[in-house]
Amino acid sequence: MTDQAPSRPDQPLPHASAAGVGVTAARGFRASGVAAGLKTTGAPDVALVVNDGPSHAAAAVFTSNRVKAAPVLWSQEVVKSGLLHAVVLNSGGANACTGPLGFQDTHATADHTADLLDTSAAEIAVCSTGLIGERLPMDKLLPGISAAAAALGPEGGAAAAEAIRTTDTVAKVAVVNHASGFAVGGMAKGAGMLAPGLATMLCVITTDADVPADLLDPALRTAVARTFDRIDSDGCMSTNDTVILMTSGASGVVPDVAGFEAAVFEVCDSLARQLIADAEGASKEIRIEVANAADEADALEVARSIARNNLFKCAVYGEDPNWGRVLSAVGTTAARFEPDELAVAINGVWVCRDGAAGEDRRLCDLTARQVHVVVDLKAGEHTATVWTNDLSKEYVHENSAYSS
Amino acid sequence: MTDQAPSRPDQPLPHASAAGVGVTAARGFRASGVAAGLKTTGAPDVALVVNDGPSHAAAAVFTSNRVKAAPVLWSQEVVKSGLLHAVVLNSGGANACTGPLGFQDTHATADHTADLLDTSAAEIAVCSTGLIGERLPMDKLLPGISAAAAALGPEGGAAAAEAIRTTDTVAKVAVVNHASGFAVGGMAKGAGMLAPGLATMLCVITTDADVPADLLDPALRTAVARTFDRIDSDGCMSTNDTVILMTSGASGVVPDVAGFEAAVFEVCDSLARQLIADAEGASKEIRIEVANAADEADALEVARSIARNNLFKCAVYGEDPNWGRVLSAVGTTAARFEPDELAVAINGVWVCRDGAAGEDRRLCDLTARQVHVVVDLKAGEHTATVWTNDLSKEYVHENSAYSS
């Protein structure tokens, strides 16, 4: 289906290393990343991604948090047309909980970007990330966008990915080059507030496949529901989450729907894994697989309950195969199961069988970064997997030592 | 209504200091606490509370976790009669997730206690707390219960409270002496897994008022719903939570219902506060008050969402008045509110008004242990308060460094 190896849990997709990284892997896109001075560190903080067409079809998914940042409120409106010319992104400030003036700032950001690109603000999506509750320094942001427009280029994907980082220790990009001649590439940022609906993050995905907006939207929603919505690092849902998919159609390839959806899924899956791998303060990546559920919703509810159980997450941090805490979390759900039939495997060792102690817990080796938990509900044939992290002293430190 | 000052948020009820502490404050009860060797430290780990009557009316509330420990399954059954002769409690092992053999252990525990007290096992409640998933060492527990029976006395309340401690740094007891001549006293333990339905805890409350079981049950449920069910230290619900209320009727006083309910509430409220004050690794006690909700359920949903937001709890640990994280948590609920009308006060400073920055956050003083957060939903007239703790490095340490 693609010219890359299929994605595997413990091996994120490789991505292109030279030109064509991330959002500029697909033809028809230019990007850039510059330092506008929003971050006190002087690191890059403004990114621009421009679709040169010929198509401008686009789709997007946003946070389900009811407290939405101004750029989310803005971008939700503009994407309704199914067309986007560009996305302008900034780190160094979320522009969330900033009231009507914050919305005016987003509007001005789109206007300024549209002027520079000689298009309409109604085709400019805006994404912001950083501290909640403070206005953006527009006197720095607008000149930054001008600089970003001047720096646009077909090799700008790496710089753009760099400029949207907040506490991310590395930039996240992914590319799938499909055998039929189109590419899907993307970038994402997000290291804290990673929870479904979406994981707290910004993500821009580009493709040069020729796909109309009414096919883009379901492809994106399907992919997001099983990737970004299934990483749950810390149970916290952000005000700014945005995933945007834009197509230029520049490859001229009209892909088959299944192949296109699979490519979008692979890029989302890779980026989601990269987010979990770089979550704030985490020392473990925990794959929670709930098997034999009566339906997928049950499986997901159980997996999320475990992923959000602080005591279990502390135990994993301490490399303690504490299956009792897993069962405690399972028991708080309404999923169909019998408590005395539950089984739990941790890193391949069935430490709990029939709701009680199974194999010797000392057989579990939790020293590696990757931890795999399987819960067998014995209630049906459905499965769901959620990715999370351990709860570490470093997480507490990162999230208490400074405002974010 | 009582001869004690009304309970205040920052001032737990005083309790008697000599004879008549906790469960032996009310006439007609004897208690004891002994070391049976279940704890490797040699600390007391078996407690017994005996009701000498003349009444034996009792009521109880149990965890809503569907994975219930053997003693919960047992005690749920025996209390259905509305009669209890005694409660036997152990720390040093939860007897949860131990299968049919674990249930047999609980049965044997009740049988042995009944023999010692010359009564029926059907009138013996059993409570256990400690590590999940391991069988209890019955060869130590049963002789321990014999020793506890031999040590029973009308001044044993303090020893009993001591023997049910796990990671609690102090024993928790409370007493209300009502002006009409009856007393309500209680003891509780619980320091981790504190979350509603109930807070992970064991609690025994005794009274010498003459109240039939059909009035005990609603009095207990009402009190628990607004006390233990509203402390949510770490979002984790246990398999063993039990609150038992027994009356001896030994005072001969038939109280008015309102006065009795108020006394039971006060004891529960005091014990719940003591649990939050002693929560594992906590450096702050956070009172989250949600005001002007459309109904109480909305207020409670919002308060719980904030109480479970790890990022907010880390911010409080860092003494950072991060109201943006409060709004992020509010936004994940289905409660009725308009995002741009929300207001948040932290320790009296309205840092958020109309969904955006209000007074200068630097005016917030978060150095004290007590933190008070008010969220104004501006959607009605209902209020709910939930108590929680900060998320600290010490919490992570306590819950990762050993199995519990």
Side-chain angles (χ1 to χ4, degrees), chain A residues 239-257:
Chain A
T239 52
N240 289 57
D241 303 324
T242 303
V243 182
I244 292 173
L245 171 59
M246 298 192 286
T247 178
S248 67
S251 71
V253 175
V254 179
D256 74 286
V257 172

PDB file of all heavy atoms in Angstrom, chain A residues 239-257:
ATOM      1  N   THR A 239      -7.266  23.499  25.450  1.00  0.00           N
ATOM      2  CA  THR A 239      -8.173  24.474  24.847  1.00  0.00           C
ATOM      3  C   THR A 239      -7.825  24.763  23.400  1.00  0.00           C
ATOM      4  O   THR A 239      -8.556  25.482  22.725  1.00  0.00           O
ATOM      5  CB  THR A 239      -8.052  25.790  25.616  1.00  0.00           C
ATOM      6  OG1 THR A 239      -6.658  26.153  25.696  1.00  0.00           O
ATOM      7  CG2 THR A 239      -8.603  25.649  27.021  1.00  0.00           C
ATOM      8  N   ASN A 240      -6.704  24.226  22.914  1.00  0.00           N
ATOM      9  CA  ASN A 240      -6.158  24.668  21.630  1.00  0.00           C
ATOM     10  C   ASN A 240      -5.974  23.579  20.586  1.00  0.00           C
ATOM     11  O   ASN A 240      -5.542  23.866  19.472  1.00  0.00           O
ATOM     12  CB  ASN A 240      -4.787  25.337  21.864  1.00  0.00           C
ATOM     13  CG  ASN A 240      -4.900  26.684  22.539  1.00  0.00           C
ATOM     14  OD1 ASN A 240      -5.456  26.783  23.618  1.00  0.00           O
ATOM     15  ND2 ASN A 240      -4.396  27.722  21.889  1.00  0.00           N
ATOM     16  N   ASP A 241      -6.305  22.343  20.934  1.00  0.00           N
ATOM     17  CA  ASP A 241      -6.030  21.225  20.035  1.00  0.00           C
ATOM     18  C   ASP A 241      -6.597  21.443  18.636  1.00  0.00           C
ATOM     19  O   ASP A 241      -7.791  21.711  18.473  1.00  0.00           O
ATOM     20  CB  ASP A 241      -6.662  19.941  20.573  1.00  0.00           C
ATOM     21  CG  ASP A 241      -6.185  19.604  21.967  1.00  0.00           C
ATOM     22  OD1 ASP A 241      -5.021  19.853  22.259  1.00  0.00           O
ATOM     23  OD2 ASP A 241      -7.005  19.077  22.732  1.00  0.00           O
ATOM     24  N   THR A 242      -5.751  21.244  17.654  1.00  0.00           N
ATOM     25  CA  THR A 242      -6.163  21.419  16.261  1.00  0.00           C
ATOM     26  C   THR A 242      -5.383  20.463  15.380  1.00  0.00           C
ATOM     27  O   THR A 242      -4.163  20.359  15.517  1.00  0.00           O
ATOM     28  CB  THR A 242      -5.884  22.864  15.790  1.00  0.00           C
ATOM     29  OG1 THR A 242      -6.562  23.790  16.652  1.00  0.00           O
ATOM     30  CG2 THR A 242      -6.349  23.074  14.355  1.00  0.00           C
ATOM     31  N   VAL A 243      -6.082  19.760  14.517  1.00  0.00           N
ATOM     32  CA  VAL A 243      -5.433  18.951  13.483  1.00  0.00           C
ATOM     33  C   VAL A 243      -6.006  19.393  12.138  1.00  0.00           C
ATOM     34  O   VAL A 243      -7.227  19.353  11.939  1.00  0.00           O
ATOM     35  CB  VAL A 243      -5.696  17.441  13.669  1.00  0.00           C
ATOM     36  CG1 VAL A 243      -4.957  16.651  12.584  1.00  0.00           C
ATOM     37  CG2 VAL A 243      -5.268  16.980  15.047  1.00  0.00           C
ATOM     38  N   ILE A 244      -5.145  19.836  11.267  1.00  0.00           N
ATOM     39  CA  ILE A 244      -5.580  20.358   9.966  1.00  0.00           C
ATOM     40  C   ILE A 244      -4.988  19.492   8.854  1.00  0.00           C
ATOM     41  O   ILE A 244      -3.806  19.136   8.911  1.00  0.00           O
ATOM     42  CB  ILE A 244      -5.131  21.824   9.788  1.00  0.00           C
ATOM     43  CG1 ILE A 244      -5.898  22.720  10.773  1.00  0.00           C
ATOM     44  CG2 ILE A 244      -5.347  22.299   8.352  1.00  0.00           C
ATOM     45  CD1 ILE A 244      -5.406  24.153  10.808  1.00  0.00           C
ATOM     46  N   LEU A 245      -5.804  19.155   7.892  1.00  0.00           N
ATOM     47  CA  LEU A 245      -5.347  18.406   6.713  1.00  0.00           C
ATOM     48  C   LEU A 245      -5.633  19.239   5.465  1.00  0.00           C
ATOM     49  O   LEU A 245      -6.774  19.657   5.247  1.00  0.00           O
ATOM     50  CB  LEU A 245      -6.088  17.065   6.633  1.00  0.00           C
ATOM     51  CG  LEU A 245      -5.908  16.221   5.365  1.00  0.00           C
ATOM     52  CD1 LEU A 245      -4.450  15.862   5.120  1.00  0.00           C
ATOM     53  CD2 LEU A 245      -6.754  14.947   5.458  1.00  0.00           C
ATOM     54  N   MET A 246      -4.605  19.504   4.698  1.00  0.00           N
ATOM     55  CA  MET A 246      -4.761  20.301   3.478  1.00  0.00           C
ATOM     56  C   MET A 246      -4.237  19.508   2.280  1.00  0.00           C
ATOM     57  O   MET A 246      -3.216  18.831   2.386  1.00  0.00           O
ATOM     58  CB  MET A 246      -3.929  21.592   3.568  1.00  0.00           C
ATOM     59  CG  MET A 246      -4.347  22.520   4.696  1.00  0.00           C
ATOM     60  SD  MET A 246      -3.566  24.155   4.535  1.00  0.00           S
ATOM     61  CE  MET A 246      -1.892  23.761   5.039  1.00  0.00           C
ATOM     62  N   THR A 247      -4.902  19.647   1.159  1.00  0.00           N
ATOM     63  CA  THR A 247      -4.392  19.001  -0.046  1.00  0.00           C
ATOM     64  C   THR A 247      -4.166  20.029  -1.142  1.00  0.00           C
ATOM     65  O   THR A 247      -4.965  20.949  -1.331  1.00  0.00           O
ATOM     66  CB  THR A 247      -5.334  17.901  -0.561  1.00  0.00           C
ATOM     67  OG1 THR A 247      -4.781  17.363  -1.773  1.00  0.00           O
ATOM     68  CG2 THR A 247      -6.730  18.406  -0.851  1.00  0.00           C
ATOM     69  N   SER A 248      -3.043  19.858  -1.826  1.00  0.00           N
ATOM     70  CA  SER A 248      -2.734  20.733  -2.968  1.00  0.00           C
ATOM     71  C   SER A 248      -3.187  20.117  -4.285  1.00  0.00           C
ATOM     72  O   SER A 248      -3.338  20.807  -5.283  1.00  0.00           O
ATOM     73  CB  SER A 248      -1.221  20.981  -3.034  1.00  0.00           C
ATOM     74  OG  SER A 248      -0.551  19.769  -3.362  1.00  0.00           O
ATOM     75  N   GLY A 249      -3.336  18.804  -4.297  1.00  0.00           N
ATOM     76  CA  GLY A 249      -3.643  18.121  -5.551  1.00  0.00           C
ATOM     77  C   GLY A 249      -2.494  18.157  -6.545  1.00  0.00           C
ATOM     78  O   GLY A 249      -2.656  17.745  -7.709  1.00  0.00           O
ATOM     79  N   ALA A 250      -1.331  18.632  -6.126  1.00  0.00           N
ATOM     80  CA  ALA A 250      -0.234  18.880  -7.056  1.00  0.00           C
ATOM     81  C   ALA A 250       0.368  17.617  -7.669  1.00  0.00           C
ATOM     82  O   ALA A 250       1.073  17.687  -8.682  1.00  0.00           O
ATOM     83  CB  ALA A 250       0.866  19.689  -6.357  1.00  0.00           C
ATOM     84  N   SER A 251       0.109  16.477  -7.095  1.00  0.00           N
ATOM     85  CA  SER A 251       0.620  15.240  -7.693  1.00  0.00           C
ATOM     86  C   SER A 251      -0.221  14.824  -8.893  1.00  0.00           C
ATOM     87  O   SER A 251       0.211  14.005  -9.714  1.00  0.00           O
ATOM     88  CB  SER A 251       0.608  14.100  -6.667  1.00  0.00           C
ATOM     89  OG  SER A 251      -0.733  13.693  -6.409  1.00  0.00           O
ATOM     90  N   GLY A 252      -1.417  15.351  -8.977  1.00  0.00           N
ATOM     91  CA  GLY A 252      -2.326  14.936 -10.037  1.00  0.00           C
ATOM     92  C   GLY A 252      -2.920  13.563  -9.810  1.00  0.00           C
ATOM     93  O   GLY A 252      -3.736  13.095 -10.610  1.00  0.00           O
ATOM     94  N   VAL A 253      -2.540  12.912  -8.714  1.00  0.00           N
ATOM     95  CA  VAL A 253      -3.020  11.554  -8.462  1.00  0.00           C
ATOM     96  C   VAL A 253      -4.361  11.603  -7.720  1.00  0.00           C
ATOM     97  O   VAL A 253      -4.463  12.235  -6.671  1.00  0.00           O
ATOM     98  CB  VAL A 253      -2.002  10.768  -7.616  1.00  0.00           C
ATOM     99  CG1 VAL A 253      -2.563   9.390  -7.237  1.00  0.00           C
ATOM    100  CG2 VAL A 253      -0.682  10.642  -8.361  1.00  0.00           C
ATOM    101  N   VAL A 254      -5.354  10.943  -8.298  1.00  0.00           N
ATOM    102  CA  VAL A 254      -6.619  10.764  -7.585  1.00  0.00           C
ATOM    103  C   VAL A 254      -6.548   9.391  -6.928  1.00  0.00           C
ATOM    104  O   VAL A 254      -6.678   8.370  -7.598  1.00  0.00           O
ATOM    105  CB  VAL A 254      -7.822  10.845  -8.542  1.00  0.00           C
ATOM    106  CG1 VAL A 254      -9.130  10.617  -7.771  1.00  0.00           C
ATOM    107  CG2 VAL A 254      -7.844  12.190  -9.260  1.00  0.00           C
ATOM    108  N   PRO A 255      -6.283   9.348  -5.627  1.00  0.00           N
ATOM    109  CA  PRO A 255      -6.024   8.056  -4.981  1.00  0.00           C
ATOM    110  C   PRO A 255      -7.312   7.267  -4.732  1.00  0.00           C
ATOM    111  O   PRO A 255      -8.396   7.843  -4.685  1.00  0.00           O
ATOM    112  CB  PRO A 255      -5.398   8.462  -3.653  1.00  0.00           C
ATOM    113  CG  PRO A 255      -6.002   9.785  -3.348  1.00  0.00           C
ATOM    114  CD  PRO A 255      -6.249  10.470  -4.671  1.00  0.00           C
ATOM    115  N   ASP A 256      -7.142   5.958  -4.587  1.00  0.00           N
ATOM    116  CA  ASP A 256      -8.313   5.209  -4.122  1.00  0.00           C
ATOM    117  C   ASP A 256      -8.525   5.568  -2.655  1.00  0.00           C
ATOM    118  O   ASP A 256      -7.570   5.857  -1.921  1.00  0.00           O
ATOM    119  CB  ASP A 256      -8.116   3.707  -4.313  1.00  0.00           C
ATOM    120  CG  ASP A 256      -7.149   3.106  -3.320  1.00  0.00           C
ATOM    121  OD1 ASP A 256      -5.929   3.349  -3.496  1.00  0.00           O
ATOM    122  OD2 ASP A 256      -7.586   2.419  -2.383  1.00  0.00           O
ATOM    123  N   VAL A 257      -9.775   5.578  -2.249  1.00  0.00           N
ATOM    124  CA  VAL A 257     -10.114   6.102  -0.920  1.00  0.00           C
ATOM    125  C   VAL A 257      -9.405   5.329   0.190  1.00  0.00           C
ATOM    126  O   VAL A 257      -8.836   5.913   1.117  1.00  0.00           O
ATOM    127  CB  VAL A 257     -11.643   6.088  -0.709  1.00  0.00           C
ATOM    128  CG1 VAL A 257     -11.988   6.446   0.729  1.00  0.00           C
ATOM    129  CG2 VAL A 257     -12.310   7.059  -1.671  1.00  0.00           C
TER     130      VAL A 257
END
